[in-house]
Amino acid sequence: MKILIKVIYIIILFILFSCDEEGRKINLDETFVLQYGETKMLDGQDHFSITFIDLLEDSRCPANAICVWQGQARVKIEINENFEVFTKELINGAMKENQSKKINIGHYTIELLKVIPYPEKAENQTDKSDYSIQLVITSN
Protein backbone atom coordinates (compact mmCIF):
# COMPACT_ATOMS: atom_id res chain seq x y z
CA MET A 1 0.00 0.00 0.00
CA LYS A 2 2.84 2.40 0.87
CA ILE A 3 4.47 1.73 -2.48
CA LEU A 4 1.23 2.50 -4.32
CA ILE A 5 0.88 5.81 -2.46
CA LYS A 6 4.47 6.74 -3.32
CA VAL A 7 3.93 5.89 -6.99
CA ILE A 8 0.75 7.99 -7.10
CA TYR A 9 2.57 10.85 -5.36
CA ILE A 10 5.43 10.70 -7.91
CA ILE A 11 2.96 10.67 -10.82
CA ILE A 12 1.13 13.70 -9.41
CA LEU A 13 4.40 15.61 -8.96
CA PHE A 14 5.47 14.74 -12.49
CA ILE A 15 2.15 16.02 -13.89
CA LEU A 16 2.35 19.23 -11.86
CA PHE A 17 5.90 19.99 -12.93
CA SER A 18 5.22 19.22 -16.59
CA CYS A 19 2.18 21.54 -16.58
CA ASP A 20 4.24 24.29 -15.01
CA GLU A 21 6.95 23.89 -17.65
CA GLU A 22 4.39 24.18 -20.48
CA GLY A 23 3.10 27.46 -19.02
CA ARG A 24 6.63 28.85 -19.06
CA LYS A 25 7.16 28.28 -22.81
CA ILE A 26 6.72 31.10 -25.34
CA ASN A 27 6.71 31.07 -29.14
CA LEU A 28 8.27 33.37 -31.71
CA ASP A 29 5.94 36.00 -33.20
CA GLU A 30 3.29 35.49 -30.50
CA THR A 31 2.54 38.04 -27.80
CA PHE A 32 2.93 36.83 -24.25
CA VAL A 33 2.71 38.25 -20.74
CA LEU A 34 5.43 38.13 -18.10
CA GLN A 35 4.46 38.75 -14.49
CA TYR A 36 6.86 40.68 -12.26
CA GLY A 37 9.69 38.28 -11.38
CA GLU A 38 8.55 35.59 -13.84
CA THR A 39 10.83 33.77 -16.28
CA LYS A 40 9.75 32.17 -19.55
CA MET A 41 11.72 30.15 -22.09
CA LEU A 42 11.55 30.28 -25.87
CA ASP A 43 10.03 27.02 -27.09
CA GLY A 44 12.60 24.87 -28.84
CA GLN A 45 15.46 27.05 -27.56
CA ASP A 46 16.49 25.63 -24.19
CA HIS A 47 19.19 28.25 -23.89
CA PHE A 48 16.99 31.36 -24.29
CA SER A 49 14.97 32.73 -21.39
CA ILE A 50 13.55 36.12 -20.45
CA THR A 51 12.71 37.49 -16.98
CA PHE A 52 10.85 40.64 -15.90
CA ILE A 53 13.19 41.77 -13.12
CA ASP A 54 12.18 45.35 -12.27
CA LEU A 55 9.80 48.22 -12.81
CA LEU A 56 12.06 51.27 -12.89
CA GLU A 57 9.42 53.94 -13.46
CA ASP A 58 5.73 54.38 -14.16
CA SER A 59 5.07 58.05 -14.88
CA ARG A 60 2.35 57.41 -17.47
CA CYS A 61 -0.52 59.89 -17.45
CA PRO A 62 -3.47 58.32 -15.56
CA ALA A 63 -6.55 57.50 -17.62
CA ASN A 64 -8.70 60.13 -15.87
CA ALA A 65 -6.16 62.98 -16.02
CA ILE A 66 -5.08 65.64 -18.48
CA CYS A 67 -1.31 65.72 -18.75
CA VAL A 68 1.23 67.85 -20.59
CA TRP A 69 3.45 64.80 -21.13
CA GLN A 70 2.07 61.27 -21.62
CA GLY A 71 4.81 59.84 -19.42
CA GLN A 72 6.47 56.46 -19.67
CA ALA A 73 6.88 53.11 -18.02
CA ARG A 74 10.44 51.79 -17.84
CA VAL A 75 11.08 48.13 -17.14
CA LYS A 76 14.19 46.04 -16.76
CA ILE A 77 14.37 42.57 -18.25
CA GLU A 78 17.03 39.91 -18.13
CA ILE A 79 17.72 37.73 -21.15
CA ASN A 80 19.76 34.57 -20.89
CA GLU A 81 20.95 33.42 -24.31
CA ASN A 82 23.41 30.56 -24.59
CA PHE A 83 24.46 31.06 -20.95
CA GLU A 84 25.24 34.74 -21.54
CA VAL A 85 23.12 37.13 -19.44
CA PHE A 86 21.96 40.52 -20.75
CA THR A 87 20.14 43.08 -18.59
CA LYS A 88 18.21 45.57 -20.71
CA GLU A 89 15.77 48.42 -20.22
CA LEU A 90 12.64 48.85 -22.34
CA ILE A 91 10.28 51.83 -22.50
CA ASN A 92 6.53 52.05 -23.02
CA GLY A 93 5.15 55.52 -23.73
CA ALA A 94 7.03 58.73 -24.50
CA MET A 95 10.67 58.04 -25.22
CA LYS A 96 13.70 60.21 -24.75
CA GLU A 97 16.94 60.00 -26.71
CA ASN A 98 18.68 56.61 -26.36
CA GLN A 99 15.49 54.88 -25.16
CA SER A 100 13.65 52.16 -27.03
CA LYS A 101 10.78 49.73 -26.79
CA LYS A 102 12.80 47.17 -28.82
CA ILE A 103 16.14 45.49 -28.35
CA ASN A 104 18.15 43.02 -30.41
CA ILE A 105 19.78 40.07 -28.71
CA GLY A 106 21.53 37.59 -30.97
CA HIS A 107 19.09 36.48 -33.68
CA TYR A 108 16.04 37.90 -31.87
CA THR A 109 14.23 41.21 -31.43
CA ILE A 110 12.31 41.71 -28.20
CA GLU A 111 9.59 44.37 -28.21
CA LEU A 112 7.68 45.75 -25.24
CA LEU A 113 4.01 46.16 -26.20
CA LYS A 114 2.33 47.05 -22.90
CA VAL A 115 2.95 47.59 -19.22
CA ILE A 116 -0.02 46.39 -17.19
CA PRO A 117 -1.92 47.82 -15.32
CA TYR A 118 -2.35 51.23 -16.85
CA PRO A 119 -2.67 53.88 -14.11
CA GLU A 120 -6.28 54.85 -13.46
CA LYS A 121 -5.80 57.63 -10.91
CA ALA A 122 -2.81 59.79 -10.04
CA GLU A 123 -3.05 59.05 -6.33
CA ASN A 124 -3.09 55.25 -6.73
CA GLN A 125 0.19 53.45 -6.16
CA THR A 126 0.46 49.97 -7.62
CA ASP A 127 2.87 47.54 -5.98
CA LYS A 128 5.65 46.34 -8.32
CA SER A 129 4.63 42.74 -7.79
CA ASP A 130 1.23 43.52 -9.37
CA TYR A 131 2.78 44.59 -12.68
CA SER A 132 3.16 42.52 -15.81
CA ILE A 133 4.50 43.26 -19.27
CA GLN A 134 3.31 42.19 -22.69
CA LEU A 135 6.09 41.33 -25.13
CA VAL A 136 6.72 39.76 -28.50
CA ILE A 137 9.92 38.09 -29.69
CA THR A 138 10.67 37.91 -33.40
CA SER A 139 13.54 36.44 -35.37
CA ASN A 140 15.97 38.85 -37.08
Side-chain angles (χ1 to χ4, degrees):
M1 183 67 167
K2 287 183 180 180
I3 294 174
L4 180 61
I5 291 172
K6 286 181 182 179
V7 170
I8 292 172
Y9 180 72
I10 291 171
I11 291 171
I12 290 171
L13 284 176
F14 178 75
I15 291 170
L16 288 175
F17 283 115
S18 64
C19 291
D20 184 50
E21 188 68 28
E22 270 309 303
R24 294 180 3 150
K25 297 280 184 175
I26 52 178
N27 295 310
L28 281 178
D29 303 316
E30 290 184 12
T31 61
F32 63 96
V33 174
L34 266 182
Q35 303 295 322
Y36 186 84
E38 183 180 24
T39 299
K40 291 194 176 183
M41 294 172 44
L42 193 56
D43 196 20
Q45 299 293 324
D46 292 338
H47 302 293
F48 189 97
S49 65
I50 183 167
T51 306
F52 177 15
I53 59 172
D54 202 5
L55 173 76
L56 302 171
E57 171 190 356
D58 190 359
S59 63
R60 295 174 293 172
C61 183
N64 66 344
I66 299 172
C67 302
V68 177
W69 186 60
Q70 82 179 54
Q72 63 180 210
R74 293 185 312 125
V75 300
K76 188 183 286 187
I77 60 172
E78 182 178 276
I79 300 100
N80 186 332
E81 183 191 30
N82 294 322
F83 306 108
E84 190 173 351
V85 177
F86 304 91
T87 302
K88 299 292 182 178
E89 185 178 305
L90 295 172
I91 309 295
N92 181 258
M95 285 180 256
K96 300 173 186 171
E97 197 173 321
N98 297 324
Q99 292 182 327
S100 180
K101 66 179 186 170
K102 290 182 181 182
I103 55 167
N104 293 316
I105 300 288
H107 300 290
Y108 304 104
T109 299
I110 302 165
E111 181 177 3
L112 176 64
L113 302 174
K114 284 185 189 176
V115 176
I116 307 162
Y118 192 88
E120 292 297 320
K121 298 179 181 176
E123 61 274 3
N124 286 1
Q125 291 291 328
T126 304
D127 189 61
K128 284 184 178 184
S129 63
D130 294 330
Y131 276 87
S132 58
I133 55 177
Q134 185 181 50
L135 303 157
V136 65
I137 300 176
T138 55
S139 183
N140 292 343

